Amino acid sequence: MTVLIIDDEPKARRLLKLLIEENCSKIETVFTAEDLLSGIEIIKKEAPQIVFLDIEMPEHSGLEILDFIDKEHHNFEVIFTTAYSEYAIQAFELSAIDYLLKPIRLDKLQLAIEKAILSLGKSQINIKIEELRKSLNNLNFKKIALPIADGIKFVNFEDIVMLKADGMYTNISLQSKDEILISKPLKHFVELLGANSTFYKPHRSYLINLKYIQEYSKKDGGYIVMDNNETVSISKDKKEEFLAIVQSIG
């Protein structure tokens, strides 16, 4: 397997190359490039399976990679290397893009490589990078990338009615009445969407979109009915908080 490192910092390139060569036995060849355009030439010539791509580089950002290659050269996985802030990291998470924070940790590197190998040929990297670019340019996150059987489905936050825990999976109900079962626990989505005031977690098994509440009933200890007629429990310790939120909405 072949990988390419594109980074304008010589020290960063050398360190990452060394970490890969000494600890990742599945990687046979490591190419390096000091800027995006040099990296594009290597992609076209050597067809690496994985590209480690720095975002903040002189002349051309790593996010511009799709501007310089044709679709037939999109057959590789990208792992961004970045020192971006926490706010920007949310954009990576929502776009289902793999990234490594500098300084790079060996355990995170190995995990990212394993994940990239499993995703080869089916992760729609061009769509994910385009969504990431939009998020970072607007600094206004409106969509989440959901991994499904045959690729990635991008869903607007406002189209999500509710999310329900199903063991280590999460069942996502949409306004269209579609339901998507995602192989990630509810905790993953609570961390991604919890900062969005539209979403609220009334119970350990649910994350709901407040705009789709149809009814609150005091019966049986109190519960919520959503627009899709799903009934959602409210934890005892959340009831007072929930009622305050609902009143403020009204």
Side-chain angles (χ1 to χ4, degrees):
M1 184 167 286
T2 301
V3 305
L4 166 64
I5 299 166
I6 306 177
D7 197 312
D8 64 304
E9 300 173 29
K11 186 178 177 182
R13 290 198 304 273
R14 287 195 302 269
L15 179 58
L16 182 51
K17 186 172 187 286
L18 189 65
L19 282 173
I20 293 170
E21 289 175 341
E22 291 188 352
N23 300 283
C24 304
S25 57
K26 292 180 182 177
I27 308 301
E28 297 163 354
T29 309
V30 181
F31 292 99
T32 64
E34 63 182 3
D35 56 53
L36 185 63
L37 296 186
S38 302
I40 297 297
E41 292 307 310
I42 294 173
I43 288 171
K44 291 177 179 177
K45 184 179 177 184
E46 305 294 343
Q49 285 87 13
I50 301 173
V51 176
F52 289 90
L53 183 57
D54 185 27
I55 290 184
E56 295 174 300
M57 294 185 289
E59 293 188 38
H60 297 290
S61 157
L63 290 169
E64 296 176 55
I65 188 168
L66 298 180
D67 296 342
F68 296 98
I69 55 176
D70 300 323
K71 286 186 177 178
E72 61 264 26
H73 293 117
H74 286 179
N75 52 351
F76 56 85
E77 285 298 304
V78 169
I79 301 172
F80 281 110
T81 56
T82 179
Y84 258 148
S85 68
E86 220 173 282
Y87 183 70
I89 291 306
Q90 188 187 8
F92 286 92
E93 297 281 4
L94 291 169
S95 304
I97 288 275
D98 260 341
Y99 64 92
L100 292 170
L101 290 177
K102 295 179 178 180
I104 292 169
R105 285 171 41 187
L106 176 59
D107 59 334
K108 298 283 188 184
L109 170 64
Q110 290 172 318
L111 194 63
I113 288 176
E114 288 299 322
K115 189 176 173 184
I117 291 171
L118 290 173
S119 300
L120 278 171
K122 55 186 179 184
S123 76
Q124 297 173 296
I125 193 65
N126 54 322
I127 299 174
K128 292 199 290 189
I129 291 178
E130 188 53 41
E131 287 296 330
L132 176 63
R133 281 173 65 166
K134 287 179 188 174
S135 292
L136 290 173
N137 286 340
N138 297 334
L139 293 179
N140 184 16
F141 312 136
K142 296 178 181 177
K143 288 185 179 182
I144 184 169
L146 301 174
I148 55 178
D150 54 355
I152 299 284
K153 184 177 181 70
F154 285 91
V155 174
N156 284 310
F157 293 164
E158 62 184 32
D159 292 334
I160 298 173
V161 176
M162 58 181 283
L163 303 92
K164 181 180 179 180
D166 186 0
M168 290 306 291
Y169 291 76
T170 298
N171 193 46
I172 301 177
S173 302
L174 304 179
Q175 189 184 14
S176 62
K177 295 187 169 55
D178 289 342
E179 292 194 350
I180 309 171
L181 189 65
I182 304 296
S183 58
K184 289 183 182 294
L186 183 65
K187 180 176 182 288
H188 170 79
F189 296 102
V190 171
E191 289 172 355
L192 279 185
L193 300 172
N196 187 316
S197 60
T198 307
F199 290 91
Y200 181 70
K201 187 184 179 189
H203 185 275
R204 68 178 182 275
S205 297
Y206 298 94
L207 184 66
I208 64 171
N209 189 333
L210 293 168
K211 66 183 281 189
Y212 293 115
I213 293 175
Q214 182 185 123
E215 179 188 342
Y216 167 68
S217 174
K218 293 180 180 179
K219 296 177 184 176
D220 302 321
Y223 60 86
I224 304 161
V225 180
M226 302 299 291
D227 278 355
N228 60 357
N229 294 318
E230 281 272 346
T231 300
V232 175
S233 304
I234 307 175
S235 300
K236 286 182 180 178
D237 61 336
K238 290 288 188 79
K239 197 171 297 182
E240 194 175 316
E241 179 184 71
F242 172 73
L243 290 174
I245 289 171
V246 171
Q247 286 168 5
S248 70
I249 293 172

